[in-house]
């Protein structure tokens, strides 16, 4: 490479380059402007803590850069000492780094120099420490990794709740008094709102008010809050506040064994558990290598389940977008009827409607039970096409939907890429980037389908693109169901503890909401050393403020609905 | 023409409304509260509303449906209960939220472990219904139940299931999961044959 500062990562099982913190900005800028790596997909950090005297402990910030025209990743890593770790912020170059850097600060305690709004994002101010650090322990700490020793053979049962009673289950930072702390004085949040507002109204001084939409608000699809600064009805600044559903999925994942994480991924985006399983299985299979290459039939089943999930997710997204528009529940319930039939299939095959836990390393857990294949075929060939057409007829030309959607919340293609938006949000802005085509995984390269694109980047197009995508998914499903081969569904014998060689892997799939990635670092032990989820709902929210500024309060709700978030995945 | 889109939409809602009544008439008296009626309502040919009048009527659950695990015992010639579980501990080790607690039996004289657990607990408040215990049990001893109506008045007292509460006869297993039961029986027979051959 032309940078003398870049060093190839020589560790076994690793790829990409190590960059000194001082030249990160320069390298990233060149990669973006000269080499076309314009999509910063994932930013995360790993704590390489060691008690070995001869090795050094350090933090590593890992960046996965992609081209919006397709292809593989360029991985950059910056290594910084564990004491006072500082890394330059990439927000200037890639605004999509905003929330991800805040997350790395919040959970790992890495300072991003030059970040305009570096404060906690998932935890609250009364939280002591940075929980993803390897030396951080919660108040009630059982053991470093599962399985816990006291469950067998001498399992004297107790309730964890009793060991960890309410009131004693928290630790606060020094000098923090939860009793006297008042949320409305949260200085950082409001200061930043004001800063953003000042940029908006340079000339005249008008009376502005701050309104909190949420955390309990019918439009937020869960517990999510938007602090907005209003000039009359017009938004001048907006800051999303999240983390109310945070459970530190990643820390749990680092204490679980590899196989235990599978059902936990169901709980990320609980409307699309099959997709979540898919991404995680791909990442671990990458690490484990060819000995867990799934057999043909399993690959088909995986694709079938993932596409059915996409349809059910988009039905839900459209239904609830219409709810946000004020068409209360009739469209949503029509859409959910069809989703119900898809969930019936999941239930009969995987055993659960939503928490499917269906994928295993090297295949899937169960074969289709008798009688399910004809039902799937009926659904895919007859019912769903009819019902999607009906939905289209029902809503797409409705003048109210059009006038509330057209020209609202416009995202330009440049912004969409810069803010790391993925999935329908990106494609509705005219960027035909779909990982199933851009960086094909599994057997997607065998199917004929088009990448759906729309060009206005407004709410209406984000609605239409979901209708388009459902039709494309049906095309894939028809082919897959027709060609579904007989045979094995799992390579190997499905051991309860898998051996994963040391190294790292980033597995990503085109989930219904966007790029769902899993970054896993293994050190050869039964549990992953680092387990990070690149959550599309979370990162797509980065652009929300930009979409909303200058629009009316009522449009905020619609804009949020058109991104399609699930708080289980945003907050993790 | 402005308003045409809205009219089209209203046409769709009207068809839904009419379809429900047409389906009601076609299935006169059988659409609700009968097994065929329920099956029809959730089939591809169903038109109109789907609603199932729970708890008066219930959707049948498919065989693979999983909820809380249960332990299987066989009944021997003397009418004694024989636990299939050997307290090998694999389920406790693979359980993702670690909600299985097993006390292994020791022979009072030799101090060697004997198959059959003294106690077996599952904290069902924590169980995430993943099905791993059943999937990885090498002795076909623990399987996923279909009973989902488990609400109680006092979760502190009632939600840790002990061995007694968890144990159910093999016949019950056969009743709720006939296909899986047949597969398990075949495997057990094969194992027994191998043992006898040795
Ligand atoms: S895995 Fe099966 S045999 Fe082993 S302890 Fe669990 S239930 Fe008993
Ligand atoms: S179903 Fe899963 S969570 Fe529940 S007891 Fe079995 S292994 Fe544990």
């Amino acid at each position: 490479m032309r940078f003398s500062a870049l060093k190839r990562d020589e560790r076994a099982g690793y790829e990409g380059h190590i960059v000194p913190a001082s030249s990160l900005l320069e390298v990233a800028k060149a990669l973006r402007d000269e080499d076309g790596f314009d999509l910063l997909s994932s930013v995360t950090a790993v704590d390489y803590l060691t008690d070995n005297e001869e090795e050094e402990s350090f933090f590593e910030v890992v960046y996965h850069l992609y081209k919006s025209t397709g292809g593989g990743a360029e991985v950059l890593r910056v290594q910084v000492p564990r004491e006072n770790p500082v890394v330059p912020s990439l927000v200037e170059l890639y605004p999509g780094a905003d929330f991800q850097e805040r997350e790395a600060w919040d959970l790992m305690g890495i300072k991003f120099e030059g970040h305009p709004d570096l404060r906690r994002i998932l935890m609250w101010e009364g939280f002591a420490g940075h929980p993803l650090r390897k030396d951080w322990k919660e108040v009630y700490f059982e053991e470093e990794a599962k399985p816990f020793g006291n469950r067998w053979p001498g399992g004297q049962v107790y309730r964890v709740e009793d060991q960890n009673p309410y009131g004693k289950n928290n630790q606060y930072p020094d000098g923090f008094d939860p009793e006297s702390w008042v949320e409305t004085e949260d200085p950082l949040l409001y200061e930043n709102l004001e800063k953003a507002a000042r940029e908006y109204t340079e000339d005249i001084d008008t009376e502005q008010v701050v309104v909190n939409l949420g955390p309990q608000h019918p439009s937020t699809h869960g517990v999510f809050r938007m602090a907005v600064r209003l000039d009359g009805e017009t938004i001048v600044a907006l800051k999303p506040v999240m983390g109310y559903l945070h459970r530190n999925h990643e820390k749990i994942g680092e204490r679980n064994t590899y196989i235990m994480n599978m059902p936990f991924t169901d709980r990320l985006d609980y409307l699309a558990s099959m997709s979540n399983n898919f991404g995680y299985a791909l990442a671990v299979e990458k690490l484990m290598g060819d000995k867990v290459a799934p057999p043909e039939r399993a690959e088909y089943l995986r694709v079938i389940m993932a596409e059915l999930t996409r349809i059910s997710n988009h039905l839900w997204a459209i239904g609830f977008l219409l709810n946000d528009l004020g068409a209360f529940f009739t469209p949503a319930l029509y859409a959910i009827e069809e989703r119900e039939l898809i969930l019936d299939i999941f239930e009969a095959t995987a055993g659960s409607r939503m928490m499917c836990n269906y994928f295993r390393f090297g295949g899937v857990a169960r074969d289709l039970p008798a009688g399910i294949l004809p039902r799937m075929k009926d659904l895919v060939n007859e019912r769903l096409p009819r019902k999607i057409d009906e939905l289209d007829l029902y809503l797409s030309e409705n003048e109210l939907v059009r006038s509330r959607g057209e020209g609202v919340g416009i995202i330009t293609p440049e912004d969409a890429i810069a803010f790391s938006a993925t999935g329908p949000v990106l494609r509705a802005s005219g960027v035909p980037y779909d990982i199933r085509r851009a960086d094909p995984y599994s057997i997607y390269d065998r199917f004929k389908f088009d990448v759906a694109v729309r060009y206005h980047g407004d709410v209406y197009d984000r609605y239409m693109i979901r209708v388009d995508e459902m039709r494309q998914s049906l095309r894939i499903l028809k082919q897959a169901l027709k060609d579904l081969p007989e045979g094995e569904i799992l390579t190997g014998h499905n051991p309860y503890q898998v051996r994963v060689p040391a190294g790292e892997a980033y597995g990503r799939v085109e989930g219904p909401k966007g790029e769902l990635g899993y970054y896993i670092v293994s050190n050869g032990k039964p549990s992953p050393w680092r387990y990070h989820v690149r959550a599309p709902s979370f990162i797509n929210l980065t652009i929300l403020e930009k979409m909303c500024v200058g629009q009316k309060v009522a449009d905020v709700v619609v804009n949020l609905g058109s991104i399609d978030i699930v708080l289980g995945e945003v907050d993790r | 023409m402005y308003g045409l889109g809205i009219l089209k939409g209203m046409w769709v809602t009207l068809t839904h409304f009419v379809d429900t009544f047409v389906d009601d008439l076609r299935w006169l008296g059988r659409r609700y509260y009968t097994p065929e009626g329920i099956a029809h309502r959730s089939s591809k040919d169903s038109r109109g509303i789907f609603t199932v009048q729970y708890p008066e009527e219930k959707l049948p659950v498919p065989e693979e449906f999983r909820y809380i695990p249960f332990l299987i015992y066989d009944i021997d010639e003397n009418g004694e209960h024989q636990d299939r579980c050997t307290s090998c501990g694999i389920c406790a080790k693979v359980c993702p939220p670690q909600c299985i607690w097993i006390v292994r039996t020791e022979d009072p004289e030799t101090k060697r472990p004997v198959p059959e657990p003294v106690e077996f607990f599952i904290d069902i408040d924590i169980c995430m219904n993943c099905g791993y215990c059943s999937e990885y049990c090498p002795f076909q001893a623990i399987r996923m139940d279909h009973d989902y109506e488990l609400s109680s008045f006092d979760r502190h007292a009632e939600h840790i299931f002990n061995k007694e509460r968890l144990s159910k006869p093999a016949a019950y297993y056969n009743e709720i999961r006939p296909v899986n039961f047949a597969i398990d029986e075949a495997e057990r027979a094969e194992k027994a044959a191998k043992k006898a051959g040795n």
Side-chain angles (χ1 to χ4, degrees), chain A residues 168-232:
Chain A
K168 296 208 170 87
N169 54 355
N170 246 327
Q171 55 201 357
Y172 299 104
D174 290 341
F176 184 92
D177 177 16
E179 296 304 321
S180 62
W181 186 74
V182 190
E183 227 275 318
T184 47
E185 284 165 17
D186 179 355
L188 286 169
L189 169 64
Y190 292 99
E191 212 173 85
N192 275 294
L193 268 181
E194 216 165 287
K195 204 160 71 190
R198 268 202 301 281
E199 285 161 19
Y200 175 78
T201 46
E202 315 101 345
D203 38 358
I204 36 169
D205 216 17
T206 52
E207 180 96 25
Q208 296 181 343
V209 285
V210 172
V211 176
N212 278 300
L213 290 165
Q216 271 80 22
H217 192 274
S219 76
T220 54
H221 302 223
V223 197
F224 176 71
R225 178 172 143 217
M226 291 171 283
V228 293
R229 216 179 149 87
L230 294 174
D231 179 6

Side-chain angles (χ1 to χ4, degrees), chain A residues 263 357, chain B residues 66-69 91-92 94-100 120-124 126-134 142 144:
Chain A
N357 186 18
Chain B
R66 55 183 142 83
Y67 205 51
I68 300 290
C91 56
V94 77
C95 173
Q98 295 286 290
C99 66
I100 302 182
F120 196 112
F121 303 99
I122 294 182
D123 187 338
I124 63 155
I126 293 181
C127 171
M128 67 199 291
N129 326 111
C130 67
Y132 275 171
C133 45
S134 145
I142 190 167
M144 301 305 283

Side-chain angles (χ1 to χ4, degrees), chain A residues 54-122:
Chain A
E54 278 146 47
E55 291 169 30
E56 221 176 317
S57 301
F58 58 92
F59 285 125
E60 184 175 278
V61 183
V62 188
Y63 302 88
H64 280 84
L65 296 151
Y66 287 92
K67 297 178 184 173
S68 61
T69 48
E74 173 62 57
V75 188
L76 293 182
R77 0 171 143 265
V78 177
Q79 296 177 342
V80 284
R82 283 186 100 253
E83 279 78 50
N84 190 25
V86 184
V87 176
S89 163
L90 283 187
V91 174
E92 282 287 301
L93 291 171
Y94 295 96
D98 185 352
F99 286 9
Q100 304 193 62
E101 288 183 351
R102 276 177 68 188
E103 184 189 324
W105 156 246
D106 189 0
L107 304 182
M108 200 68 97
I110 291 168
K111 274 212 186 64
F112 290 90
E113 208 164 33
H115 191 291
D117 185 15
L118 193 66
R119 55 197 164 85
R120 286 192 179 273
I121 187 164
L122 296 173

